[in-house]
């Protein structure tokens, strides 16, 4: 038996049928156009990972503005705040022409994805952006992984989308196949030939960077957010359009001509190894000075790692396993490392044990250590072993029998 709708329901359906073209026309006439801007990586370290911003155009008023969450002030205390993890970022608003000109000058491509939310939700998104831009709201504590210019722009769009909200898969579905935060960062540093910057990042950032990412967490990087947003859906409707190029420019030249850290430190290891077995007066003087510099510099690095762990707000600097070889105590031991005394030999023996542990556990530690430091660890092992067991190579000429 066929069922029929009650009269009120039929009237409502009829009204919706005739009103739908009007609603579609009103949607098409929405004066707001909002787009997600994704900017390609640049040549400098600060631009290696790219950038994200939101563009808002108003057809009625002719306004064309960019909301940029990646702004900070370069003041006298910039470096102090940066090192301590207290550098505030803020949301700024600038003209689109000014924004795009900067990327044109830096030879960095820009892609645009139009926000497909209805006009009401677009208006709500604009209100939220303007509220964020108020003097009392615009500042925030920057976090490279979880709260940066990219995550903020993406979150602002997704908050206005109808539930349930999903983004496209950008990493393998199996959790054990997912990359770590460090893996994702390495992709950009390797692509930009930033090998020394990679060495510094791997030195300063501890084991927390080696956690596997979730699909949403992986989108803290601009180009990966672009991929995730391309297939993002709210209530089974697309949230943004496919990306279209605004600027297509060749990538700026990188620093590929600079020797990699592994090559530089490896060459140093080879030279010092050869000189260590040449018992000549001039060579012995060089080796004596080198021993001081080696232990002093690794000790200074260790003190820096401890400071970054306990003396700053950088959470990613905690649990740093580089302290196995960069011993802070080396800083104090450096002036006495060549003394032929039992306490110093015990100390050098302890450094041998710790460096050997670091070397053996290089691939098993919960933190991915940079292979560029392997020659440094080998140097520490070599010099400590020779100081203890081969004193006749280093004793003054008059003391030799």
């Amino acid at each position: 038996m066929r069922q029929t709708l009650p009269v009120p329901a039929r009237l409502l359906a009829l009204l919706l049928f005739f009103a739908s073209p009007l609603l579609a026309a009103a949607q098409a006439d929405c004066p707001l156009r909002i787009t997600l801007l994704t900017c390609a990586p640049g040549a400098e370290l600060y631009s290696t990972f790219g950038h994200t911003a939101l563009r808002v155009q108003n057809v009625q008023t002719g306004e064309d503005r960019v909301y940029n969450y990646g702004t900070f002030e370069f003041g006298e205390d910039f470096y102090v705040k940066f090192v301590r993890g207290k550098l505030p970022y803020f949301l700024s608003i600038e003209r689109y022409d000014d924004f795009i000109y900067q990327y044109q000058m830096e030879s960095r491509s820009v892609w645009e994805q139009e926000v497909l939310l209805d006009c009401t939700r677009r208006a709500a998104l604009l209100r939220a952006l303007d509220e964020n831009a108020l003097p009392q709201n615009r500042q925030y504590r920057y976090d490279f992984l979880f709260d940066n210019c990219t995550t903020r722009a993406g979150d602002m769009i997704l908050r206005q989308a109808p539930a349930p909200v999903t983004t496209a898969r950008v990493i393998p579905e199996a959790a054990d196949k997912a990359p770590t935060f460090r893996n994702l960062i390495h992709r950009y540093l390797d692509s930009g030939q930033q090998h020394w910057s990679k060495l510094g990042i791997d030195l300063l950032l501890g084991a927390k960077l080696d956690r596997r990412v979730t699909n949403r967490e992986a989108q803290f990087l601009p180009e990966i957010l672009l991929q995730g947003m391309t297939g993002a859906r709210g209530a089974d409707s697309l949230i943004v359009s496919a990306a279209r190029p605004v600027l297509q420019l060749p990538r700026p030249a990188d620093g590929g001509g600079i020797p990699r850290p592994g090559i530089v430190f490896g060459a140093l290891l080879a030279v010092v190894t050869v000189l260590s077995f040449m018992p000549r007066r001039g060579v012995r003087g060089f080796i004596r000075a080198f021993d001081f510099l080696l232990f002093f510099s690794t000790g200074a690095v260790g003190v820096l790692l401890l400071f970054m762990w306990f003396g700053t707000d950088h959470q990613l600097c905690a649990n740093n396993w580089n302290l196995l070889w960069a011993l802070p105590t080396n800083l104090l031991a450096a002036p006495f490392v060549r003394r032929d005394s039992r306490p110093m030999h015990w100390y050098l023996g302890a450094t041998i044990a710790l460096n050997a542990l670091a070397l053996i556990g290089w691939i098993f530690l919960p933190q991915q250590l940079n292979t560029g430091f392997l020659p440094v660890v080998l140097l520490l092992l070599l010099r400590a072993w020779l100081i203890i067991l081969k004193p006749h190579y280093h004793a003054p000429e008059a003391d030799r029998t």
Side-chain angles (χ1 to χ4, degrees):
M1 180 177 179
R2 190 177 67 180
Q3 293 182 338
T4 59
L5 291 172
V7 174
R10 279 182 287 174
L11 287 174
L12 178 60
L14 193 62
L15 285 172
L16 289 174
F17 175 78
F18 286 108
S20 58
L22 298 175
L23 292 172
Q27 179 67 19
D29 291 338
C30 182
L32 288 178
R33 181 176 182 266
I34 302 178
T35 57
L36 181 70
L37 299 176
T38 302
C39 309
E44 301 299 328
L45 176 60
Y46 72 86
S47 62
T48 296
F49 304 99
H51 186 51
T52 304
L54 288 166
R55 178 187 183 186
V56 178
Q57 297 168 272
N58 191 315
V59 177
Q60 291 179 346
T61 63
E63 290 181 308
D64 193 354
R65 302 182 294 179
V66 173
Y67 290 75
N68 184 358
Y69 281 99
T71 314
F72 56 86
E73 293 181 350
F74 193 90
E76 293 182 358
D77 56 350
F78 171 83
Y79 291 106
V80 174
K81 288 182 177 179
F82 178 80
V83 169
R84 297 190 63 198
K86 298 179 181 295
L87 180 66
Y89 276 61
F90 59 89
L91 171 61
S92 64
I93 303 174
E94 57 188 302
R95 292 174 62 249
Y96 173 74
D97 290 342
D98 296 335
F99 178 88
I100 209 70
Y101 177 76
Q102 175 185 349
Y103 287 88
Q104 189 173 6
M105 291 297 98
E106 295 178 4
S107 191
R108 296 170 62 185
S109 299
V110 179
W111 295 270
E112 188 174 46
Q113 294 172 282
E114 184 169 359
V115 174
L116 302 177
L117 302 176
D118 61 43
C119 197
T120 301
R121 293 181 184 277
R122 274 182 262 177
L125 174 55
L126 178 57
R127 286 195 299 272
L129 288 169
D130 286 333
E131 184 176 353
N132 265 196
L134 293 174
Q136 65 270 27
N137 298 332
R138 66 176 189 155
Q139 196 171 100
Y140 70 100
R141 182 65 62 81
Y142 180 88
D143 185 292
F144 180 69
L145 300 183
F146 303 110
D147 195 1
N148 61 30
C149 58
T150 298
T151 61
R152 290 228 162 194
D155 289 345
M156 291 298 287
I157 296 174
L158 296 177
R159 286 194 194 106
Q160 300 304 327
V165 174
T166 59
T167 59
R169 181 150 291 280
V170 295
I171 62 170
E173 190 168 358
D176 60 338
K177 301 294 184 182
T180 65
F181 286 107
R182 197 183 301 272
N183 294 151
L184 295 176
I185 292 171
H186 280 182
R187 289 182 194 174
Y188 284 81
L189 293 169
D190 290 339
S191 176
Q193 300 291 310
Q194 297 276 359
H195 302 297
W196 286 94
S197 299
K198 177 181 175 180
L199 186 83
I201 287 173
D202 285 344
L203 176 66
L204 293 175
L205 303 187
K208 290 187 176 183
L209 201 66
D210 294 276
R211 179 171 68 78
R212 295 189 183 274
V213 300
T214 65
N215 190 64
R216 186 70 186 95
E217 288 173 340
Q219 299 172 46
F220 75 99
L221 293 165
E223 291 178 342
I224 299 181
L225 176 69
L226 182 152
Q227 299 167 19
M229 292 295 287
T230 299
R233 290 183 172 271
D236 207 33
S237 296
L238 286 174
I239 296 175
V240 301
S241 67
R244 71 172 189 88
V246 176
L247 286 178
Q248 285 187 299
L249 300 168
R251 181 163 181 167
D254 52 47
I258 303 174
R260 299 189 180 195
I263 295 175
V264 173
F265 292 144
L268 181 63
L269 171 62
V271 170
V272 172
T273 300
V274 171
L275 294 181
S276 294
F277 294 94
M278 295 177 61
R280 297 180 181 177
R281 184 182 298 274
V283 172
R284 289 202 310 274
F286 169 81
I287 290 296
R288 187 176 294 107
F290 177 81
D291 286 340
F292 171 79
L293 289 175
L294 177 64
F295 282 86
F296 182 87
S297 58
T298 54
V301 168
V303 171
L304 174 63
L305 297 184
L306 283 181
F307 170 75
M308 296 300 293
W309 183 347
F310 297 104
T312 74
D313 291 341
H314 291 293
Q315 297 299 314
L316 293 175
C317 294
N319 307 330
N320 197 326
W321 287 81
N322 282 298
L323 285 163
L324 274 177
W325 60 268
L327 297 172
T329 50
N330 282 354
L331 188 67
L332 299 175
F336 314 105
V337 74
R338 296 298 297 269
R339 283 193 177 180
D340 188 15
S341 64
R342 187 178 297 274
M344 185 50 60
H345 285 186
W346 276 107
Y347 176 79
L348 291 173
T351 68
I352 289 174
L354 289 173
N355 281 284
L357 179 63
L359 201 61
I360 295 170
W362 203 270
I363 60 174
F364 303 110
L365 293 172
Q367 177 180 336
Q368 182 180 345
L369 304 184
N370 195 298
T371 55
F373 288 118
L374 279 173
V376 178
V377 177
L378 291 172
L379 273 171
L380 287 165
L381 282 168
L382 173 70
R383 293 308 310 153
W385 177 70
L386 288 179
I387 291 171
I388 294 174
L389 300 180
K390 303 289 184 180
H392 57 281
Y393 284 134
H394 313 292
E397 195 75 30
D399 294 340
R400 296 180 62 189
T401 58

